[in-house]
Amino acid sequence: MTTVSTQKDDRQIMSGRFARILRRPEVGAAVAALLIFTYFSSTTTAFLSTAGVSTWLYSSSLFGVLAVAGALLMIGGEFDLSVGAMTGTTGLIVGIMTTEYGTNIWLSIILALIFALSIGAANAYISMKTGVPSFIVTLAALFILQGANLAITKLLTGTVSIQGMSDVTGYDSAKAIFGSTLNFGGMDIKISIVWWLAVTVVASWVLLRTRTGNWIFGVGGAFTSARQVGIPVVKVRMGLFMATSAAGWLVGMLQLFGVSTVQATTGLGQEFSYVICAVVGGCLLTGGYGSAIGAAVGALIYGMTLQGIVFAQWDNNWLKLFLGVLLLLAVLVNLYVRRRAGDRS
Amino acid sequence: MTEILSVTNVGKSYGTVLAIRGISAEVIAGEVLCILGDNGAGKSTLIKILSGVHAPSEGTMKVNGVETILSSPRDALDAGIATVYQDLAVVPLMPVWRNFFLGSELRKGFGIFKRLDTTAMRTIAKQQLAEMGISLRDVEQPIGTLSGGERQAVAIARAVYFGAKAIILDEPTSALGVKQASVVLKYIAKARDSGLGVVFITHNPNHAYPVGDKFLLLKLGASIGYFDKSELTIEKMTKLMAGADEMSTLATELERKPGSRPSRKSEKE
Ligand SMILES: Nc1ncnc2c1ncn2[C@@H]1O[C@H](COP(=O)(O)OP(=O)(O)OP(=O)(O)O)[C@@H](O)[C@H]1O
Ligand SMILES: [Mg+2]
């Protein structure tokens, strides 16, 4: 007979571990990261200095937390453009409540988290209930948050940035968790880098080793099929939106306690940066495919390039050009992978 | 001869549209019930009743001999009735083994460390597929890389593994080539031989006749016959389905009128 013969099937050209590694979504990003690392470390001296490394790692970590959470959401078939503005909103909530109204710092932090989670839930609810693409719903949320960040901050404080954070009671306890600096062998490691690694490990574990992860791939890869096999599709997507917003809150706190101040313009122009990181890391824009580690590597590329360009003393407009080219390449590679590795339907 | 599922005089209307009426049939363990009919005859409507998607508007339904109304696909699954939909409910970019267990994952560990039992899932998927006669190169490959027939087989194997007593296949061969379709027919026979009741929907008598035990022919929402294989030949079935007189009118319509063929030669001259 045709395909059911039991004789050895020799149609598989490459087999074993090597093929399996090449098939992983994060491979392309890892190669690109290595090239960029090599380039900047050989052309600038600052890039490999301890101060240099801790600078680009810090930069990467802030993008990284968002990119990893955003990657999970994208694998689940949805977008959240508002999460960059959310980092500003949550920082401003804590900043204004503590400095203007003397609210307890931890209470403010918790309230900011609750706010973020409810915006995430609202994004999910509106896009799922109405069927309007989440791209549009969260674009609206982005404008609402950005506008509110500026207008409300000005209204309440008369300025566009928060001053005097470090004098707030309990500031040190929050700074220890979100803004401290650890020292490893003479190198300053901002604690946000630890958060970034932790988020990546947890996200990767959830995605590949838990039932929830299987469901995320299912919901993003084939929504109706996922529903037919009994996956609670609405719950899965709701959870993803809320987790992404929570990541926005975490980055908001990392920024606020990292530099002890927050600008009302935080996140402006960063709407797509985490989407770029996730796509460069191997996520498909159409959902159902991607990796948390890949997104973390995508963020590493972003951070290294951002700081590398500064070290090399180039005009920093090159960053956008470079990212645009990288994004285009990544999308083409991903498309190729998708054609090769799978989708005949 | 154990009856798994039966309907008596069921009908279903969608608002003012009467999609099917007065249909009776039974699904018996180890037998294949074929449902045939033209487009719009009501085949999908009937299986939606059998699989719990719609409740019938009239008539009765028995599951394992007990009168029941299935109110959701979950109910049907719990009663051992699995449906393999036309789109197969698979996620193309996911590995075969993950698809096999999608929605019913095996887990180990406790509390927040509860995790997928990936080793067991891979092994079982491979083994179950081998039992269906599909030897996969690699259960790690995305299911989208399998052929249409192989994907059908995975869906059938999945239903069998998760304890289905009856499986309903909605036009599993309609999108397939001759070879692939015959492969799927073999899997249907295999499922039947392992004691399952199979409901096989198709509009191709050539696919239905070889594997079927009972045949329900539908036309415009009503039954035009419920036959045992012994009462039917493939010619008779084809005739019934097409409507003998309709076929002969069609034949006359399609026949070339004398002299209607454009002659290239004459054009050239
Ligand atoms: N949800 C619905 N609302 C209204 N009418 C419907 C609905 N579903 C089916 N019908 C009607 O019921 C009739 C039977 O449809 P059904 O889908 O059962 O046919 P079928 O035999 O499966 O056809 P096909 O071979 O094309 O799949 C058709 O006339 C169809 O228009
Ligand atoms: Mg149909």
Side-chain angles (χ1 to χ4, degrees):
Chain A
M1 265 307 301
T2 53
T3 47
V4 289
S5 65
T6 44
Q7 77 198 46
K8 196 173 172 301
D9 198 327
D10 51 5
R11 285 176 297 179
Q12 186 167 20
I13 300 157
M14 253 195 315
S15 64
R17 191 159 290 176
F18 187 61
R20 198 164 291 170
I21 289 172
L22 278 189
R23 220 155 45 193
R24 298 193 59 85
E26 55 275 85
V27 173
V31 173
L34 201 65
L35 289 177
I36 290 162
F37 176 83
T38 315
Y39 177 76
F40 282 118
S41 25
S42 55
T43 56
T44 73
T45 46
F47 194 79
L48 263 190
S49 68
T50 50
V53 173
S54 72
T55 309
W56 52 258
L57 275 182
Y58 176 60
S59 197
S60 305
S61 68
L62 297 178
F63 291 115
V65 172
L66 290 185
V68 169
L72 260 57
L73 182 63
M74 277 173 70
I75 293 170
E78 300 279 359
F79 281 102
D80 187 351
L81 299 181
S82 69
V83 69
M86 181 61 78
T87 66
T89 311
T90 50
L92 289 165
I93 289 176
V94 174
I96 293 173
M97 285 180 76
T98 52
T99 60
E100 294 286 314
Y101 301 99
T103 317
N104 176 286
I105 194 160
W106 283 103
L107 179 64
S108 318
I109 290 172
I110 301 292
L111 288 176
L113 174 60
I114 292 171
F115 176 82
L117 291 174
S118 22
I119 296 292
N123 280 337
Y125 184 81
I126 294 170
S127 68
M128 283 186 300
K129 198 79 188 169
T130 59
V132 175
S134 57
F135 193 88
I136 300 299
V137 174
T138 59
L139 185 65
L142 162 75
F143 277 100
I144 293 169
L145 291 179
Q146 263 178 3
N149 285 357
L150 278 159
I152 296 178
T153 308
K154 265 191 188 164
L155 196 70
L156 296 178
T157 68
T159 65
V160 289
S161 67
I162 304 296
Q163 305 299 336
M165 265 313 285
S166 41
D167 303 330
V168 170
T169 34
Y171 177 79
D172 292 338
S173 64
K175 172 132 183 140
I177 291 185
F178 296 116
S180 58
T181 306
L182 315 168
N183 199 296
F184 279 111
M187 192 160 73
D188 286 341
I189 296 289
K190 290 267 198 180
I191 200 165
S192 63
I193 295 163
V194 178
W195 279 104
W196 174 36
L197 292 179
V199 167
T200 308
V201 169
V202 170
S204 200
W205 151 272
V206 167
L207 207 49
L208 298 176
R209 285 286 171 270
T210 71
R211 185 174 71 178
T212 313
N214 222 33
W215 290 356
I216 293 172
F217 279 111
V219 168
F223 188 78
T224 14
S225 301
R227 189 164 28 207
Q228 280 169 1
V229 298
I231 293 174
V233 289
V234 173
K235 265 195 207 159
V236 171
R237 285 206 163 152
M238 180 71 80
L240 286 171
F241 271 106
M242 290 172 73
T244 309
S245 290
W249 163 84
L250 176 56
V251 173
M253 297 305 105
L254 294 174
Q255 284 172 341
L256 175 65
F257 294 101
V259 294
S260 303
T261 181
V262 55
Q263 308 286 325
T265 51
T266 301
L268 213 60
Q270 302 291 336
E271 298 76 37
F272 288 101
S273 49
Y274 91 86
V275 178
I276 293 175
C277 295
V279 171
V280 167
C283 285
L284 287 182
L285 286 160
T286 42
Y289 192 75
S291 106
I293 293 173
V297 176
L300 187 64
I301 290 176
Y302 202 124
M304 286 197 298
T305 314
L306 182 70
Q307 301 303 332
I309 283 174
V310 175
F311 293 149
Q313 293 175 330
W314 296 351
D315 187 311
N316 65 17
N317 288 314
W318 288 107
L319 176 69
K320 280 221 164 133
L321 187 147
F322 173 81
L323 287 174
V325 172
L326 198 64
L327 179 64
L328 189 62
L329 283 178
V331 170
L332 294 178
V333 169
N334 290 354
L335 192 72
Y336 173 75
V337 167
R338 187 194 169 114
R339 293 256 164 84
R340 281 290 316 271
D343 211 356
R344 303 216 297 200
S345 54
Chain B
M1 208 174 87
T2 8
E3 177 191 293
I4 301 170
L5 185 64
S6 69
V7 285
T8 315
N9 279 320
V10 289
K12 168 76 193 167
S13 48
Y14 296 105
T16 54
V17 184
L18 193 57
I20 56 170
R21 58 191 179 278
I23 308 280
S24 303
E26 64 260 10
V27 184
I28 287 159
E31 279 194 18
V32 179
L33 165 68
C34 295
I35 301 178
L36 291 107
D38 247 332
N39 295 112
K43 305 183 295 294
S44 294
T45 304
L46 180 58
I47 68 150
K48 277 178 186 154
I49 291 175
L50 298 181
S51 61
V53 176
H54 294 317
S57 336
E58 55 192 58
T60 58
M61 181 163 173
K62 278 185 183 170
V63 179
N64 299 317
V66 186
E67 203 164 302
T68 326
I69 298 284
L70 297 172
S71 56
S72 75
R74 193 80 242 173
D75 268 10
L77 273 176
D78 291 343
I81 302 159
T83 309
V84 176
Y85 293 94
Q86 251 160 333
D87 62 5
L88 300 180
V90 297
V91 184
L93 286 167
M94 250 190 178
V96 172
W97 67 271
R98 280 185 185 265
N99 263 293
F100 192 94
F101 284 96
L102 187 63
S104 314
E105 292 82 357
L106 303 180
R107 293 189 294 167
K108 60 182 179 190
F110 298 97
I112 61 161
F113 293 110
K114 204 158 192 176
R115 60 197 186 275
L116 296 179
D117 192 348
T118 52
T119 344
M121 283 158 70
R122 282 199 186 89
T123 323
I124 292 171
K126 196 157 196 158
Q127 185 190 329
Q128 292 295 317
L129 292 176
E131 261 166 46
M132 284 295 284
I134 322 155
S135 64
L136 280 189
R137 284 150 268 164
D138 181 5
V139 283
E140 207 65 52
Q141 65 185 324
I143 203 163
T145 57
L146 300 188
S147 72
E150 286 172 325
R151 267 184 281 178
Q152 281 286 347
V154 173
I156 297 173
R158 174 167 74 180
V160 173
Y161 175 74
F162 286 108
K165 286 187 233 143
I167 52 175
I168 301 171
L169 306 164
D170 191 8
E171 309 214 23
T173 54
S174 64
L176 302 179
V178 180
K179 269 190 179 169
Q180 291 285 341
S182 66
V183 171
V184 170
L185 294 180
K186 273 183 66 174
Y187 297 138
I188 291 176
K190 205 142 200 163
R192 172 199 64 196
D193 294 342
S194 65
L196 267 79
V198 181
V199 181
F200 173 29
I201 288 100
T202 177
H203 44 232
N204 189 337
N206 295 315
H207 290 165
Y209 194 74
V211 286
D213 295 295
K214 296 241 170 60
F215 300 86
L216 174 65
L217 309 189
L218 299 181
K219 190 169 191 176
L220 299 175
S223 167
I224 51 167
Y226 184 44
F227 303 95
D228 205 83
K229 190 164 192 167
S230 57
E231 309 167 288
L232 207 60
T233 61
I234 194 158
E235 290 78 22
K236 188 174 166 200
M237 182 154 75
T238 315
K239 249 187 198 153
L240 274 168
M241 273 187 64
D245 33 319
E246 276 173 42
M247 253 344 236
S248 57
T249 351
L250 186 65
T252 1
E253 264 174 37
L254 295 180
E255 221 162 64
R256 284 188 190 286
K257 312 231 158 36
S260 71
R261 165 172 283 183
S263 157
R264 293 247 172 90
K265 246 186 189 168
S266 61
E267 265 168 34
K268 261 186 191 167
E269 282 167 4

